[in-house]
Structure formats: structure tokens, C-alpha cells
Amino acid sequence: MLISFFFFKIFNATIFSLFILIVKEYVANQVYMMGHVADGRRQGAAGGVLLMAYMAFVILLIFKWVNEVYFVCYQLPAFVGFVVIAELFKLMPSWRLSGDRHVPAPWLAVLAFIAAFTLEAYSGIMLMAVAFALILNWPQRLRDAWRSQYVAISFFLMICCGTALLVTAVYSNRVLGGENLSVARQVIDFFFASGHLSHDAKKHCLSLVEGLVVPGILLVFIAFWRRGGKGGSAIIAIFGLPNFAMIRWLGFLLMVIFPTAIVTAAISLKTGADYFDFRNYPWGGFFLVAELFAVLAISVPLIWLFRGNSMVDTARVFVVAIFLSSAMVRVLDGASEQYEASLKIKQAYSAALTNSVPVFDSGLSLDSVPMQVRPLPTAASPSWFIEGYFAFFKKYYGADTTMLFK
């Protein structure tokens, strides 16, 4: 039991470490490419080492290890969705740069299919973000649209996302936490009878309305801008190519953050839970895609500062050093407590195999742990949850246990 437990921990650590390395490598490559385009030259070794350390700790802050379920259901799909959206945006003519390297179209289509059928929240975010970007980049001649690679992949992704959402709506049969009003009804009440709504419901309705209205205003503004004979090329001419390369990822972030707000607010209204709260499950999981875009939106201007000026270099090293030290504290914070909790779970598993007592005190205060991440069944757990653990012990450990925990 002890040996298998530690092998399981090593296996999880290895898989998650490989995932973190892949994420860091992809994000760092995007930063280097944008920095090269913006600055016109590559950075020195010192700047590169600092940047790589900065990127590593930022990625570790975003993708902290929680458990296997959170990794498979949130972190991995979020990264795949981020890659799909980012590569599609980079293919679109208004934001295409000569220095870009792209994922080949067949592989991008495969990734789009996988990303669409992972988590329905990410499907909704991708559907709205790509639709908004496609409107901004729609060719003026219709016959040119169907010859464009980015149009074909965008429509393929939107069809897959729409299908995934439809399948989820029809077949999920999820039990909600309470009898909540429909999302549309709560939004109507927000305008005409706000006194009937809770404070959280009002906050979620406001986020939903802002996420819908602000992009609509931007689309109207851009339509008038184009009607006046201006467009993406005019923007590049005004700001200059280097600055355009810097602000491009900020534009990508804006196109993702509004769909993220809409989806998170709608799910919060539907379920009655506050999915904007990073302290509760899923700990801001719906924001992971937007957070990766934010990393690039912030990091590319940092590259612009690596320009050889001694005062700028000194200030940059000082700021990055402070950030790295604080980030290291946050990454390592709670590591000992998490290890102690894993040892307590191992002791509980050992007790379950003996089935010596009806209730075993794990020392984890299990009833205070959310059901989505509760590692052991308690007397207050639903029957399906208890029976699932009994079947788990029977299947994988050969133990007919009826032990509960507290």
C-alpha cells in the first residue's frame, strides 16, 4: 500500500511537470516571437534567463497543483483552448504578422475538435471569442471568405462548440443546488425588480450585461470606423509595427475576457454558486484561458523594456527579482500542509482496507471540504458518493469496506 501510494504520487508529479513544461515552452515562445518583432532584435542571455524564470513562476502561479480531477477537467482543457484561440487569432489578417509561426491547419483542426468537447464553459468562451474575432476579420468579398483557412477552421470550431453545448443541455441531467430562476428571468428582474435578487445575483447580472453590451458597442464603433475607409492597416500605420505587436495580445485578451465574464455569470446565475470567487471550487477555473492571454499581454511590454538602457535594465532586474521572490513564496505556500493531508489520506485508505471501525477520524474535517474535491466519504455525504467509494475500494484494493470517515 505504501509503495503503490508513493508510485502514484510520483506518476502524478511527472505528468503534471511535463504539462507545466509544455505550457511554459509555448507561452515563452510566443513572448520571444513578439519581443523579436517588437524590438527588431533578440534579447541577450541575461534578459533571456530572467524572462524564462519569470515565465516559469507565472505559469506555476496559474497552474497550481490541486488534484487529478482539477488537472484533467480544468487545467488541461484550458491550455488546449488557449492554444486553439490564440492560433486562430494569429491567422486572421488584421492581426497577422510576418514573424509568426503557426500550428499546421490539420493539427489545429484536431485541437479545435478536442477543445470543443472538453468543458462546456470553455466551449462557450471559445464560441463567443472566435465569433467576435471573425466578425472583425470578415473579408469584404464573400467568395474570399470560403477560400480563407482561418474562416474554415473558425466555423469548424464554432460548429463543434455549438454541438457540445447542445449535447450538454439535452443530456447532462445535472442536479442544481436549488430552485433558481432562469438566467433570462433574473436579468429581467435585475432591470425591473432588482429588490427580489440577492447581492450575488445582482453582481452576476451586471457582469453578464456588461459582457454583452461592451462588445456590441465596440462592434458598432468598428463598423463606423471601417465605413470611413479605415481598417487594420490604418491602425498599424498609426501606431507603428512595433507598438502594434505589443498591443496585439492585449486585444486578444479583451476578446476573451468578455466571453469569460458572460459564461461565468450565466453559470453562476443558473447554479446559484459564485464562480467568480477564487476561494471556492473551482477556484477560478473558468478564468484560466483568460489568465494565459493576460500573461502574454503583460509579458510582451516587458520584452520591450529589454533594450540595453542601463537605468531601464536596473529597474527591470529589481522589479523582476521582487516579483520572483514573492511568486516563489506563493508557489511554495501550503506545500507542507498539502503533503501532510496526503499522508492522512493514505492512513485513511489503510484503515479502510482493515475495516476495523465503523467511522475513522481522518483529521481532515471532511464535512467542510466541498463535495467536488472531497477525498473520502462521510456520514453526511450523498448515498451515491458513499457507494461510489465502496465500489472503488472493492475494484482497486479488493476490500469489502463499509467504513466512513470524518
Side-chain angles (χ1 to χ4, degrees):
M1 176 79 180
L2 182 63
I3 296 177
S4 61
F5 171 77
F6 280 109
F7 268 111
F8 179 67
K9 300 286 283 186
I10 292 171
F11 175 77
N12 285 338
T14 303
I15 296 299
F16 191 70
S17 298
L18 290 173
F19 169 71
I20 291 296
L21 286 174
I22 293 171
V23 175
K24 191 268 298 179
E25 188 66 21
Y26 179 82
V27 175
N29 281 339
Q30 302 306 313
V31 173
Y32 273 124
M33 281 192 293
M34 289 301 98
H36 180 59
V37 172
D39 201 26
R41 57 186 175 84
R42 296 193 179 276
Q43 308 305 322
V49 170
L50 267 177
L51 176 66
M52 292 301 287
Y54 163 78
M55 295 304 304
F57 279 104
V58 168
I59 297 302
L60 282 173
L61 286 176
I62 295 175
F63 290 107
K64 293 183 68 173
W65 173 260
V66 179
N67 54 39
E68 296 84 359
V69 175
Y70 191 73
F71 167 61
V72 173
C73 295
Y74 290 93
Q75 294 172 327
L76 184 58
F79 175 64
V80 176
F82 162 72
V83 171
V84 170
I85 299 174
E87 293 297 325
L88 266 178
F89 285 174
K90 287 160 55 181
L91 284 174
M92 296 183 178
S94 294
W95 308 309
R96 185 184 299 147
L97 293 176
S98 58
D100 278 340
R101 288 177 292 179
H102 302 285
V103 174
W107 284 107
L108 184 56
V110 172
L111 289 176
F113 178 81
I114 294 172
F117 289 94
T118 52
L119 187 69
E120 61 269 24
Y122 297 151
S123 300
I125 292 170
M126 289 188 292
L127 176 62
M128 286 184 281
V130 172
F132 184 55
L134 199 57
I135 292 173
L136 296 179
N137 288 270
W138 190 259
Q140 294 186 1
R141 293 186 299 179
L142 186 61
R143 64 181 181 182
D144 293 337
W146 306 114
R147 299 174 183 174
S148 302
Q149 190 178 79
Y150 73 91
V151 173
I153 299 177
S154 296
F155 270 99
F156 175 73
L157 175 61
M158 289 190 292
I159 291 171
C160 291
C161 289
T163 303
L165 292 172
L166 180 62
V167 170
T168 301
V170 174
Y171 296 106
S172 63
N173 294 324
R174 292 179 177 172
V175 179
L176 302 180
E179 295 296 329
N180 299 317
L181 296 173
S182 67
V183 175
R185 182 62 193 175
Q186 291 183 76
V187 173
I188 293 173
D189 287 346
F190 173 71
F191 287 104
F192 301 104
S194 60
H196 298 161
L197 299 176
S198 65
H199 174 73
D200 284 344
K202 292 177 184 177
K203 179 179 67 175
H204 300 152
C205 287
L206 181 61
S207 300
L208 181 61
V209 172
E210 288 176 345
L212 291 170
V213 171
V214 174
I217 294 175
L218 290 176
L219 285 176
V220 172
F221 172 77
I222 291 170
F224 279 105
W225 178 269
R226 286 182 171 176
R227 191 174 181 84
K230 301 174 182 179
S233 59
I235 296 175
I236 297 176
I238 292 171
F239 291 101
L241 180 60
N243 288 328
F244 174 72
M246 288 179 59
I247 67 173
R248 187 174 68 150
W249 283 98
L250 179 59
F252 293 171
L253 173 62
L254 291 176
M255 279 184 289
V256 173
I257 197 65
F258 290 117
T260 301
I262 293 170
V263 169
T264 307
I267 295 176
S268 298
L269 289 171
K270 184 68 176 177
T271 61
D274 187 3
Y275 285 97
F276 287 94
D277 191 348
F278 281 64
R279 297 168 298 178
N280 299 322
Y281 181 86
W283 306 288
F286 296 158
F287 289 90
L288 289 175
V289 177
E291 286 174 5
L292 286 170
F293 277 98
V295 170
L296 286 162
I298 295 170
S299 299
V300 172
L302 287 179
I303 292 288
W304 180 254
L305 296 178
F306 298 166
R307 302 188 66 187
N309 182 287
S310 59
M311 293 186 64
V312 172
D313 280 348
T314 302
R316 178 256 301 167
V317 170
F318 178 71
V319 171
V320 172
I322 292 176
F323 175 83
L324 289 178
S325 60
S326 61
M328 185 178 294
V329 171
R330 290 195 60 185
V331 168
L332 299 178
D333 183 35
S336 60
E337 290 82 359
Q338 293 174 8
Y339 179 71
E340 291 174 1
S342 68
L343 291 179
K344 291 178 180 178
I345 293 174
K346 180 187 75 66
Q347 294 169 0
Y349 273 44
S350 299
L353 300 184
T354 63
N355 202 25
S356 56
V357 293
V359 179
F360 180 81
D361 188 357
S362 66
L364 294 170
S365 302
L366 293 171
D367 281 323
S368 63
V369 179
M371 280 296 303
Q372 297 92 334
V373 292
R374 187 174 297 178
L376 294 163
T378 66
S381 299
S383 59
W384 60 265
F385 187 80
I386 296 174
E387 292 170 1
Y389 262 96
F390 290 167
F392 165 78
F393 283 118
K394 174 66 175 176
K395 179 177 181 180
Y396 292 102
Y397 295 96
D400 286 315
T401 184
T402 57
M403 182 181 291
L404 296 177
F405 303 87
K406 66 178 180 179

